[in-house]
Amino acid sequence: MKTFHRDIKTKRLNLTKFFQEDVSRVTSLVNHREIASTTANIPHPYKEEMAVEWIGQQEQTLKQGKNVVWAIRLEESSELVGAMGLELNERHHHGELGFWIGRNYWNQGICTEAAQAVVSFGFKEIGLNKIYAYHICRNPGSGRVMKKIGMIREGRLNQHFFKWDKYEDAELYGLLAKDCTGF
Ligand SMILES: CC(C)(COP(=O)(O)OP(=O)(O)OC[C@H]1O[C@@H](n2cnc3c(N)ncnc32)[C@H](O)[C@@H]1OP(=O)(O)O)[C@@H](O)C(=O)NCCC(=O)NCCS
């Protein structure tokens, strides 16, 4: 895995690392039932100490080549509006894309714009061969983002997640470097 600078600029966004100064903003963005409900690992309620721990471990997991996490900030106002991560598998040259966007910023194309940049970065800068993502079936908006960035549906994973005492079916999407035509 190559070493790389993480910051990425897009038309409307700056993708950077998270800082401990972001803790209270992260907590208020994530502490919504709607954010926790469709993500595999985010609990509800989401407490400040969870944000401290999550941000605190990011440099370590980056150094270990396990995970790259970006804060999504609006270029115009510098507001933090979401997060995007690539969980890396060095042996298999693939990465799992994951994301959340604060509730007030949904359906403005922010996730799609950030995901395009991160996918492009994953192929060009990190050297991945494949990037994939899952969404639970009752979260079609997330699937829409995957389609909009050119990912191909690879199949249904029955009862793949256990969320809030219920098994949830998921859809798997993937994109190969050779099929990524650029954005
Ligand atoms: C999924 C999520 C990240 C999308 O962020 P976003 O910035 O709103 O995404 P975008 O605006 O780029 O794209 C959303 C697309 O989904 C569509 N969409 C939204 N709700 C939908 C629904 N219920 N059914 C179908 N499409 C839907 C939007 O219309 C848009 O598509 P369009 O541009 O073709 O109109 C955001 O909803 C979120 O954070 N959800 C909670 C956390 C989560 O589920 N994370 C993903 C885990 S896999």
Side-chain angles (χ1 to χ4, degrees):
M1 205 79 66
K2 290 191 270 178
T3 52
F4 46 80
H5 294 289
R6 173 168 38 183
D7 291 3
I8 312 174
K9 271 187 189 303
T10 69
K11 203 164 157 230
R12 293 179 294 167
L13 308 171
N14 283 324
L15 308 187
T16 72
K17 64 186 274 188
F18 277 96
F19 301 94
Q20 283 300 336
E21 292 72 35
D22 296 317
V23 160
S24 63
R25 175 71 173 163
V26 166
T27 309
S28 71
L29 289 171
V30 176
N31 189 25
H32 282 266
R33 229 187 135 71
E34 280 174 291
I35 300 280
S37 166
T38 50
T39 46
N41 300 315
I42 295 178
H44 186 77
Y46 187 86
K47 304 228 168 74
E48 204 156 286
E49 59 262 29
M50 296 170 180
V52 171
E53 190 188 338
W54 180 62
I55 292 173
Q57 72 189 10
Q58 289 174 7
E59 282 311 294
Q60 172 96 3
T61 54
L62 177 71
K63 272 194 207 124
Q64 292 167 337
K66 288 184 183 164
N67 213 346
V68 197
V69 182
W70 285 268
I72 304 172
R73 303 178 200 273
L74 300 181
E75 158 81 25
E76 207 174 89
S77 60
S78 306
E79 268 173 297
L80 173 65
V81 296
M84 184 144 309
L86 262 183
E87 196 173 321
L88 305 173
N89 186 311
E90 195 164 0
R91 176 182 301 241
H92 299 295
H93 304 165
H94 62 213
E96 180 184 343
L97 186 70
F99 40 71
W100 56 260
I101 300 292
R103 183 67 190 91
N104 292 341
Y105 304 90
W106 286 8
N107 298 325
Q108 300 173 30
I110 291 174
C111 188
T112 303
E113 188 170 323
Q116 285 175 332
V118 164
V119 162
S120 182
F121 187 94
F123 290 139
K124 289 188 195 142
E125 304 297 326
I126 306 179
L128 297 173
N129 176 57
K130 176 177 182 176
I131 296 176
Y132 65 95
Y134 307 96
H135 72 87
I136 60 173
C137 293
R138 62 182 170 76
N139 186 15
S142 181
R144 180 79 191 117
V145 171
M146 294 168 198
K147 285 190 201 108
K148 284 198 292 180
I149 63 172
M151 286 183 159
I152 306 295
R153 181 178 175 275
E154 296 192 348
R156 170 73 60 108
L157 303 167
N158 292 326
Q159 301 195 4
H160 196 68
F161 293 104
F162 186 63
K163 182 84 191 186
W164 295 346
D165 294 330
K166 228 182 125 224
Y167 291 106
E168 297 265 9
D169 296 346
E171 295 275 311
L172 171 63
Y173 279 79
L175 181 62
L176 301 181
K178 72 176 178 59
D179 296 330
C180 183
T181 49
F183 300 107

